[in-house]
Amino acid sequence: MKIQGSTVFITGANRGLGLAFAKAVLAAGARKVYAAARDPSTVTLPGVVPVKLDVTNPQDVAAAAKLAADVDIVINNAGITGGAPLLDAADGESNLRRIMETNLYGVYAVSAAFAPVLKKNGGGALVNMLSALSWLSLESTSAYSVTKAAAWSLTNSLRNELRAQGTQVLGIHAGYIDTDMVSHVDAPKASPADIAARTLEALERGDAEVLADDTAKQVKAGFGATPAAYLGG
């Protein structure tokens, strides 16, 4: 997949990593960039087309796919975190469902809506922003980790189903990224620009998965440890 001359659709593109993706594809020569956000007035980057999109709203998703019928690359970046632990008696289940709506079902909805568009336009690529927490659960990330593990499995399944139409499916794994979402976390963080750059490099190589920072590489390598990294302790 070549970025230069392509048309790109990015969810959650008004700030943080989504904004970094938008800047990166513009710099790489994308012909058109659709920058989607719940409130399109918050999309202020020159050179992009703002799109209203709440990924949990079926009407928004359908309208976006109809509007952006010329797309070659879809980047599922929108995601949320936070809330109660899984076993919190009052809010655990409702919080998990809330995060799942965006991080799993939102990714599914956008992917399903744009799959026929990508097929019509020659195959293109679908890029899903996952996490090193797809493979690892911390005490403070239990619900988020569940949703990202589900999104990782979804990505692998979509890759199988979209292979016949020539669509490249790329999953991105990274640790903490220096965005508003984790501003409260005191830990090393990757630059959004670096994650975006490594994603585009992987996309142009034809990769199926990118470990976009050292954290993701270390966690993936820990699968072979005894005990495995994901077992915690």
Side-chain angles (χ1 to χ4, degrees):
M1 189 70 228
K2 297 300 181 185
I3 311 301
Q4 186 170 9
S6 65
T7 298
V8 185
F9 186 95
I10 306 167
T11 70
N14 56 327
R15 60 179 183 165
L17 183 58
L19 177 59
F21 278 133
K23 290 178 178 178
V25 295
L26 284 173
R31 181 180 68 84
K32 185 190 294 186
V33 179
Y34 294 98
R38 288 192 186 97
D39 180 358
S41 71
T42 62
V43 176
T44 58
L45 179 66
V48 302
V49 180
V51 178
K52 180 183 182 299
L53 177 63
D54 177 345
V55 299
T56 69
N57 184 312
Q59 290 74 34
D60 278 7
V61 173
K66 183 176 181 180
L67 170 71
D70 53 347
V71 158
D72 304 298
I73 301 170
V74 175
I75 301 178
N76 276 310
N77 167 73
I80 61 173
T81 187
L86 289 172
L87 299 181
D88 182 279
D91 299 316
E93 181 179 355
S94 62
N95 181 66
L96 177 60
R97 289 182 183 277
R98 177 183 66 86
I99 302 176
M100 194 76 82
E101 282 296 323
T102 296
N103 293 2
L104 177 65
Y105 291 109
V107 173
Y108 168 74
V110 172
S111 301
F114 276 95
V117 175
L118 294 173
K119 180 179 182 179
K120 176 177 68 70
N121 294 335
L126 177 69
V127 181
N128 289 345
M129 187 63 211
L130 304 170
S131 174
L133 292 170
S134 306
W135 304 318
L136 184 70
S137 183
L138 306 177
E139 187 174 349
S140 60
T141 68
S142 52
Y144 180 79
S145 293
V146 170
T147 68
K148 285 299 185 178
W152 177 44
S153 184
L154 171 67
T155 301
N156 294 334
S157 295
L158 290 172
R159 186 178 298 113
N160 290 334
E161 293 199 15
L162 294 176
R163 186 173 289 114
Q165 70 176 43
T167 298
Q168 177 186 355
V169 177
L170 173 63
I172 313 161
H173 296 271
Y176 290 123
I177 303 171
D178 192 11
T179 66
D180 290 346
M181 180 183 286
V182 294
S183 60
H184 62 288
V185 176
D186 182 17
K189 299 172 187 176
S191 158
D194 286 347
I195 300 300
R198 289 167 189 167
T199 298
L200 298 194
E201 290 168 3
L203 191 59
E204 293 205 327
R205 284 195 302 266
D207 292 352
E209 181 174 86
V210 56
L211 308 183
D213 66 1
D214 289 342
T215 299
K217 293 172 185 176
Q218 290 165 5
V219 173
K220 187 72 179 290
F223 273 44
T226 304
Y230 58 81
L231 295 177

